[in-house]
Amino acid sequence: MKVLVIGGGAREHALCRSLSLDPDVTALHCAPGNAGIAEVAELHPVDQLDGGAVARLAAGLGSDLVVVGPEAPLVAGVADAVRAAGIPCFGPSGEAAQLEGSKAFAKDVMAAANVPTARSYVCTTPEEIDEALDAFGAPYVVKDDGLAAGKGVVVTDDLAAAREHALACDRVVIEEFLDGPEVSLFAITDGVTVLPLQPAQDFKRALDGDQGPNTGGMGAYSPLPWADPKLVDEVMASVLQPTVDELRRRGTPFSGLLYAGLAITSRGVRVIEFNARFGDPETQVVLARLKTPLASVLLNSANGTLDVEPPLNWRDDAAVTVVIASHNYPATPRTGDPIEGLDEVAAQDAPTAYVLHAGTKRDGDAVVSAGGRVLSVTATGQDLAQARDRAYTAVARIRLDGSQHRTDIAREAAQARG
């Protein structure tokens, strides 16, 4: 199988790493990729948002499967263009990807499917914004209706800050605050059959103790020792299958990766948001634990034959990912700084710890930073404590001027387990 992965972040590096380990994959390509992905896949330049360009590249490479990683190309309809060219594609149509592209659309689908979620108002005027903020009170949850790379949400007790964020959006969803821990649960679907993956938890705030601004994610871990063993079955029955069924009923079947961001509240599981693609950094830990070869699962999703796929196999190991971000992230990050220590991690920590590249590029013989989140240092172990120790040991070997990372990823969960 010849596979082309679209994207260039740590999520795509995790996908490419898993696909490169799959004996069914005979050729692996990535566009545009990054410095780390170049070690496992052949890179190609492409405009990720240009469906025609992606389809032409896939056809020229003789691709048997295209995997679209990021949300923006999916919402732009890149998967539609690839499928129109007769090439199997893992990823939802542009219409179905509105589940992530529009918070208001997602709320409408959830209401129709009777999926439990926060009560909310969709607002387009200052008057509507003020009424909604007043109705729910603090803490205020304000979400930009469109794509915002995981950073369009403000949760604050400050009414002025909530109102300022809301007014800066063309259309905004204001909703009740959901108490309780958050869980990310991915499911692979072909529009009918739904195959859940293992749950993970990510850390959105920039600083230790969940302080600081919201980010795209500063780390993640899996499994969740504190979660109810029946959680996946419950979410399948109350959230994932009903959502997939409702989208099919509407004539916009969802095929690809359905990501449910969940709050485990005092009143039960509630959906915070849906995404239409693998989450970053949760993908890094989920795929680290997946034993089943990845390519056939993604191809069966793309071909509508997921019902033939046997149950997924998982390692008993735990996995932890720590994100190393550049100076000033999540504001305008500094780029172009050399990254040192990657060879040391490869020599001393592999195979139980490894580095997945996010915002990197080659500059001559050096690898330099090229984005906000630069690296995802991922490790596995027999439990979260061991995986965590291995991840932070590897993090300590990496040198990037001005870089930042959280020191508390998975700490509470590892201690609770012990």
Side-chain angles (χ1 to χ4, degrees):
M1 196 189 306
K2 296 178 182 175
V3 182
L4 169 62
V5 176
I6 302 300
R11 162 188 46 224
E12 287 76 34
H13 194 176
L15 287 163
C16 285
R17 180 181 182 272
S18 289
L19 289 165
S20 73
L21 298 172
D22 187 333
D24 287 342
V25 176
T26 52
L28 183 58
H29 302 270
C30 186
N34 61 40
I37 295 173
E39 296 175 14
V40 294
E42 185 179 340
L43 302 191
H44 305 270
V46 77
D47 177 354
Q48 300 178 70
L49 300 179
D50 185 337
V54 171
R56 286 190 295 275
L57 174 62
L61 294 171
S63 303
D64 301 300
L65 174 66
V66 175
V67 179
V68 182
E71 59 273 24
L74 290 167
V75 172
V78 167
D80 302 89
V82 173
R83 279 193 277 268
I87 302 167
C89 185
F90 180 80
S93 66
E95 212 173 342
Q98 286 302 311
L99 202 60
E100 176 169 5
S102 167
K103 303 288 190 298
F105 175 77
K107 288 288 187 183
D108 187 58
V109 169
M110 283 188 270
N114 203 25
V115 168
T117 187
R119 292 180 299 121
S120 64
Y121 294 104
V122 179
C123 307
T124 55
T125 69
E127 293 76 22
E128 289 174 346
I129 287 167
D130 289 339
E131 284 179 23
L133 292 171
D134 183 57
F136 288 129
Y140 304 100
V141 181
V142 184
K143 299 181 176 182
D144 191 332
D145 182 50
L147 288 181
K151 289 175 283 191
V153 179
V154 166
V155 181
T156 180
D157 289 322
D158 184 336
L159 176 59
R163 191 171 189 273
E164 181 184 13
H165 182 67
L167 290 169
C169 305
D170 289 334
R171 190 158 77 146
V172 66
V173 175
I174 295 173
E175 62 184 41
E176 67 175 327
F177 177 75
L178 297 175
D179 64 324
E182 295 185 14
V183 173
S184 301
L185 184 61
F186 303 162
I188 292 170
T189 178
D190 59 3
V192 179
T193 301
V194 181
L195 204 59
L197 306 188
Q198 289 287 305
Q201 186 173 58
D202 80 331
F203 295 76
K204 286 289 187 196
R205 299 284 183 173
L207 307 175
D208 283 7
D210 290 328
Q211 300 298 306
N214 221 22
T215 73
M218 294 298 290
Y221 70 93
S222 179
L224 312 181
W226 49 268
D228 188 324
K230 299 190 291 292
L231 175 65
V232 174
D233 290 341
E234 180 187 340
V235 175
M236 268 291 290
S238 66
V239 175
L240 297 170
Q241 192 72 56
T243 300
V244 168
D245 291 345
E246 171 61 20
L247 285 164
R248 187 176 68 254
R249 189 191 67 75
R250 291 175 176 225
T252 55
F254 188 104
S255 167
L257 195 290
L258 178 58
Y259 164 140
L262 308 165
I264 313 301
T265 78
S266 53
R267 294 174 294 139
V269 173
R270 297 288 185 273
V271 175
I272 300 169
E273 64 175 355
F274 283 124
N275 290 332
R277 38 74 194 181
F278 279 102
D280 184 344
E282 300 99 319
T283 302
Q284 290 85 303
V285 291
V286 172
L287 291 186
R289 300 185 56 225
L290 180 65
K291 273 172 83 170
T292 301
L294 186 60
S296 69
V297 184
L298 302 186
L299 185 62
N300 278 325
S301 165
N303 285 336
T305 51
L306 203 57
D307 58 332
V308 306
E309 191 68 40
L312 297 176
N313 273 323
W314 297 92
R315 296 183 177 87
D316 292 332
D317 286 4
V320 172
T321 284
V322 180
V323 170
I324 297 178
S326 56
H327 177 73
N328 204 40
Y329 178 78
T332 306
R334 193 174 80 202
T335 59
D337 289 311
I339 302 165
E340 298 176 337
L342 297 172
D343 292 344
E344 294 170 37
V345 175
Q348 299 183 55
D349 301 307
T352 55
Y354 48 88
V355 180
L356 298 168
H357 291 231
T360 70
K361 66 177 183 179
R362 280 232 165 252
D363 184 5
D365 291 335
V367 175
V368 301
S369 60
R373 291 186 294 174
V374 181
L375 304 168
S376 284
V377 180
T378 303
T380 56
Q382 63 185 14
D383 55 25
L384 284 173
Q386 186 179 52
R388 195 173 177 279
D389 286 346
R390 288 171 171 172
Y392 279 106
T393 296
V395 166
R397 300 191 203 281
I398 293 169
R399 297 173 296 283
L400 171 62
D401 188 44
S403 68
Q404 53 177 317
H405 65 270
R406 283 184 57 159
T407 66
D408 62 347
I409 303 299
R411 183 167 62 203
E412 280 187 27
Q415 290 169 345
R417 187 70 167 187

